[in-house]
Amino acid sequence: MDKIVVLDFGSQYSHLICRRIRESNVYCELLPYDSPISLIKKLEPKGIVLSGGPSSVYLKGSPKPDKKIFEMGIPVLGICYGHQLIVNEFNGKIKRFDNREYGYADLVIDDSSDLFKGINKKIKCWMSHADAAEKIPNNFEILAHTENSQSAAIANRDRKFYGIQFHPEVSHTEEGNSILRNFSQSISNAKPDWTMQGFIDFSIKDIRSKVHDDRVLCAISGGIDSTTLAVLLNKAIGKNLTCVFVNNGLLRLNEETLVPELLNKHLDINTVSTNAEERFLSKLKGISDPEQKRKIIGEEFAQVFSDVTRDYGPFQWLAQGTLYPDVIESGFSKGPAAVIKTHHNVGGLPEWLNLKLLEPFRTLYKDEVRQIAVLLEIPNEFIKRHPFPGPGLAVRIIGEVTYEKIRIVRHASSIVENELLRSGWYDKVWQAYAAVGDDLAVGVLGDERVYGHIVTIRIVESLDAMTADWSRLPYDLISKISNRITNEVNGVTWVTYTVSSKPPATIEPQ
Ligand code: XMP
């Protein structure tokens, strides 16, 4: 399959470049900026994109790619920092300008013969830079400019090197997708053959060739990723698949009956359910630190899988629905991204478990898994369900996990979901839940003064959980949710609504 490689110089938008290129059906992979030329050549990319990044090319130690990428004879597109790298590499000059350009700019297109083909003469583009080209290299020409950047887009057509100062990958840039499509399909000649039906066909063959006659244990949570994975595995290996659903006591309301029912009845997949509530909650007793909670939950899952293997095995493989952003955010990144939270389903298994890890969705984005779920005819109400974190309610309970706090978040979250469904808001938001901590506030119940919990509502909109914005719900709806929670959930006196975006906040409070 034809592909484009994006080298990641640390921009917060690197994965977006990758997604946008895939959206136009060209397969794209994100690699660390310092990937050796041998690795890049092995992938046989049709073109390379150099991402943006926080550094300055003229600083000592700033990230640089292997120079040999410029000798591969394939097109290269530099974006922002990537553009400056190209200018620098071919003896142009980059310097810091006093007028930092940040936000919208009008891009005037001077040459629309290839990169800007089919695009209006003037478009809005998104700029985010302090450095810019003072002098462009010899043999490069200007393709577009803005008021502050005379060389906002440049090219050396003979060698097919292109540099753009703005970010075509963010939705703020008009026709950004067309620019990336022109680069990947017209200039690089990559065939648009990345489709989710193609992925399913390839994946089924790939799973079969890896697994042969081995038996696979698939942990399912009821979320879209693991459910879709189970259906795909069922297609690939049928009776050699056993699904396990673990009730860890940290699930949403009624989840422990709903999920096994979906798999057994509607999808005809053999599912073992195990109640490990006591085990998980006793291990979590007295633990407040979120990363420690994740670690304990991860270890306990491994113990439960080990027991299931003993009772229903032997199994040789454990399948998980790990996605590309999980891989990136867990610091197993292909670029210089910091570890923010360790998502427990990434990073391998304890060796003593003696199971090999099967992660067919490791390169996929969530919207791609959704497309696969539709193609595999998973019922719509499951496809539309909000994502739920692996450690469950433990990361929505601030401080120690107690039965009392579990009862509160479970009940309050079901009210949040219920009201969103009723008002038609459920499908418009990415995640919506209630969280609770140890803070108490005074309330009045009847004529009595009570001291109860503060419940925090978090409702966010997002495309992929990498960034998110809080939902501007109508006040009346927030008010209804708040009233229902204080009236119906015992021990709650106050309800707050979160107005922090990601970044700087994260989606889950822990
Ligand atoms: P944050 O809180 O990092 O969440 O903004 C991003 C997305 O990941 C989910 N999440 C997790 N998923 N294990 C998981 O499987 C975890 O430890 C974990 N922590 C957060 C979160 O619900 C959101 O969709």
Side-chain angles (χ1 to χ4, degrees), residues 321-335:
T322 314
L323 300 185
Y324 208 30
D326 300 335
V327 176
I328 291 170
E329 284 215 358
S330 289
F332 284 71
S333 150
K334 298 180 165 190

Side-chain angles (χ1 to χ4, degrees), residues 261-287:
E261 204 176 274
L262 167 83
L263 278 117
N264 284 323
K265 272 202 200 142
H266 299 293
L267 299 173
D268 202 20
I269 295 173
N270 182 26
T271 307
V272 174
S273 297
T274 157
N275 188 348
E277 194 168 350
E278 284 289 316
R279 287 172 63 160
F280 277 84
L281 298 186
S282 65
K283 288 267 162 58
L284 287 169
K285 212 166 172 359
I287 308 295

Side-chain angles (χ1 to χ4, degrees), residues 303-316:
Q303 289 286 354
V304 172
F305 296 147
S306 159
D307 294 352
V308 172
T309 305
R310 186 195 56 216
D311 297 342
Y312 298 89
F315 298 102
Q316 292 75 32

